[in-house]
Amino acid sequence: MKLSKVLLLVVTLAMILAVIGCGASAPAAQPAPAKEQPAQAEKAPAAEKTYADLVVGYAQIGAESEWRTANTASIKEEAEKLGVELKFSDAQQKQENQIKAIRSFIAQQVDVIGVSPVVETGWETVFQEAKDAGIPVILVDRRAAVPEDLYTTYLGSDFVEEGRRAGEAMDKILGGKGKIVELVGTVGSAPANDRAKGFREYIADKPGMEIIASQSGDFTRAKGKEVMEAFLKTHGKDITALYAHNDDMAIGAIQAIEEYGLKPGEDIKIVSVDAVRGAFEAMIAGKLNCTVECNPLLGPQFYDLALKVVNGQEVPKWVPSEEGVYYPEEAAALLPERKY
Ligand code: AHR
């Protein structure tokens, strides 16, 4: 073989070996390093819901009073205004109907359930069902006696405080001395339990103020009248004052007192709770001596809470409503601006 050929062969072999050698020592091809991603990027955060996305189920008690009518109007009108889809149920004052409504809201997979519990007890099972379905429950207007993990928040009044305020007003009006009859709200309801409690708390150290009879008028005008008639039949002119857990029962009782031949507001002093328009009219007519406010216009705060809750925002366990106490002297000036 010619020397030039031998050289060519050697050079070629060397090149082949170099290529093979390089290949062997080259680091194994690595996949391109993954771009560092923020933790959430893998799972895009759910877009914030707006009012227009909200589907709300609302289990209302019924239409037992002027107060309730105003409350229902506030819940419905605000939904309409905000564009919330509202599924509204009127339970006609029956707990079993409210429970049925809640179960139907769960089946329809609403975003939030609002409920004003007609009575305090008996809610654990159905609230647990809502919790298991991942649907938050907001108590509106009335509390329920359930563990705190079964509801998200309570929006409404301090009924015990309303009772104390009524006691204080009665004390002022009677000058610390009187025989009082009491028209209680729906038996077992939070406002009936708490307004009775607060009133008793206040008069506990007023030996001159005595409750001589106490019975439920179920928060209605008709029942208030009927029970007042029975009180008058039994106690007649011994009665110097009436404490009614709501204005509607007081208004019914006013009729009974007049029919009995006595003057409401004079012969029998009257303090009630709610501060609805009818109470202001009765005060202007001199037939009612005081009304303690309980605010029914809860629609705006309710949907604000509902939206926060579905968007995972923290809300307080109790959102109290602001309320006043009203006497006849200011009734005429305030009536035109009363919304309910
Ligand atoms: O829960 C609020 C009470 O319910 C109101 O005071 C009464 O009028 C209503 O029916």
Side-chain angles (χ1 to χ4, degrees):
M1 195 184 288
K2 276 190 184 163
L3 183 63
S4 59
K5 275 195 177 166
V6 171
L7 271 175
L8 186 65
L9 193 67
V10 169
V11 169
T12 308
L13 270 171
M15 282 174 71
I16 290 169
L17 283 172
V19 168
I20 292 170
C22 280
S25 65
Q30 297 292 321
K35 247 198 205 162
E36 215 170 280
Q37 301 283 348
Q40 298 100 317
E42 280 169 20
K43 209 173 146 205
E48 286 244 314
K49 287 209 178 193
T50 67
Y51 285 122
D53 303 316
L54 268 192
V55 181
V56 171
Y58 197 91
Q60 179 60 289
I61 293 174
E64 75 282 5
S65 61
E66 238 186 272
W67 189 99
R68 187 67 52 200
T69 307
N71 178 246
T72 292
S74 175
I75 298 292
K76 286 186 173 173
E77 283 162 15
E78 195 64 19
E80 179 110 16
K81 188 171 129 195
L82 298 172
V84 171
E85 184 181 337
L86 174 66
K87 297 175 186 296
F88 185 89
S89 158
D90 174 338
Q92 299 179 353
Q93 277 179 278
K94 290 200 175 80
Q95 183 177 31
E96 71 213 63
N97 291 346
Q98 283 193 299
I99 291 175
K100 263 188 221 154
I102 293 171
R103 291 207 166 113
S104 130
F105 297 149
I106 295 171
Q108 294 173 73
Q109 297 181 314
V110 300
D111 295 309
V112 175
I113 293 173
V115 55
S116 181
V118 61
V119 290
E120 285 195 89
T121 55
W123 299 98
E124 285 202 35
T125 308
V126 73
F127 285 7
Q128 183 65 54
E129 289 168 24
K131 188 179 175 189
D132 294 344
I135 302 175
V137 169
I138 299 182
L139 302 178
V140 187
D141 155 42
R142 295 187 185 179
R143 286 184 186 278
V146 292
E148 286 211 339
D149 66 305
L150 291 187
Y151 68 94
T152 309
T153 180
Y154 162 58
L155 163 65
S157 310
D158 181 343
F159 295 132
V160 178
E161 180 56 22
E162 289 172 356
R164 284 191 209 107
R165 288 178 181 174
E168 188 182 354
M170 190 65 102
D171 183 23
K172 250 197 237 173
I173 292 160
L174 294 177
K177 198 172 177 320
K179 288 192 188 311
I180 306 159
V181 292
E182 180 186 34
L183 280 170
V184 177
T186 301
V187 175
S189 69
N193 294 340
D194 294 352
R195 287 173 188 164
K197 184 171 174 232
F199 190 83
R200 280 163 181 75
E201 254 176 47
Y202 186 87
I203 67 165
D205 61 351
K206 316 276 173 217
M209 290 171 73
E210 186 193 351
I211 299 174
I212 58 168
S214 174
Q215 200 178 313
S216 172
D218 208 13
F219 281 131
T220 69
R221 239 172 242 214
K223 211 60 203 305
K225 179 170 188 272
E226 194 185 307
V227 176
M228 190 68 209
E229 283 166 356
F231 285 158
L232 285 163
K233 210 167 166 193
T234 312
H235 302 280
K237 290 186 178 172
D238 267 1
I239 303 170
T240 54
L242 163 67
Y243 167 38
H245 287 193
N246 81 343
D247 292 336
D248 277 72
M249 293 190 293
I251 291 165
I254 285 171
Q255 243 186 293
I257 295 167
E258 287 179 325
E259 284 171 18
Y260 189 79
L262 292 175
K263 284 194 172 154
E266 286 184 33
D267 300 323
I268 297 181
K269 308 287 189 204
I270 307 174
V271 173
S272 60
V273 184
D274 275 357
V276 296
R277 285 183 73 88
F280 278 75
E281 283 156 6
M283 286 199 289
I284 292 167
K287 299 177 182 182
L288 179 72
N289 305 86
C290 175
T291 182
V292 174
E293 189 175 32
C294 178
N295 184 5
L297 306 180
L298 302 174
Q301 280 171 292
F302 169 59
Y303 296 109
D304 176 55
L305 285 169
L307 191 62
K308 284 187 172 136
V309 168
V310 298
N311 282 325
Q313 292 177 35
E314 285 284 317
V315 294
K317 209 68 197 178
W318 177 18
V319 181
S321 16
E322 283 185 10
E323 294 160 349
V325 177
Y326 301 102
Y327 291 92
E329 304 79 66
E330 55 199 336
L334 292 175
L335 180 63
E337 61 190 57
R338 289 310 287 173
K339 294 199 189 75
Y340 52 93

